Amino acid sequence: RTTASGEPLSNSAATAAHRSLPFGTWVKVTNLRNDQSEFVRITDRGPFIRGRIIDVSRGIGEKLGMINAGVVPTRVEVMAPVGG
C-alpha cells in the first residue's frame, strides 16, 4: 500500500505516521523505557488511537525495542521541519 504522502509503505524504512506534522519532517523518537533513539521521517497520517502520538515503521520499532513491548512511552523531537 502507499502512505498518505503517496510513498510506498516500507516496513524497513526510517518512517513514521503522525497526525499533524508535515510530510517530510524529520523527528527523533526516543523510547523512554530504554533511552534508545532513532531518526524517522513523517510519511503517513496516524495513529488514530487516543493517547498515541506517533506510529513508527516495524524496522524502527525493532531498533527501539518496541515490538515485544507494544505501546511504550516516547519522546518525539522535531529535528528538521519541511522547508527549514
Side-chain angles (χ1 to χ4, degrees):
R1 82 172 182 89
T2 58
T3 63
S5 66
E7 295 181 35
L9 178 66
S10 171
N11 285 327
S12 62
T15 58
H18 190 276
R19 277 179 241 138
S20 60
L21 287 172
F23 296 132
T25 300
W26 282 93
V27 298
K28 180 180 178 184
V29 179
T30 303
N31 177 341
L32 297 177
R33 289 189 179 157
N34 61 18
D35 207 35
Q36 293 180 335
S37 298
E38 291 290 332
F39 293 95
V40 298
R41 190 168 50 87
I42 304 300
T43 61
D44 208 356
R45 290 292 172 232
F48 297 108
I49 298 172
R50 184 181 213 110
R52 297 185 189 176
I53 58 171
I54 197 162
D55 187 10
V56 299
S57 66
R58 180 167 183 87
I60 294 297
E62 289 172 355
K63 288 181 178 183
L64 293 176
M66 296 176 165
I67 299 299
N68 293 329
V71 178
V72 299
T74 59
R75 179 175 51 243
V76 177
E77 303 168 81
V78 174
M79 300 280 98
V82 173

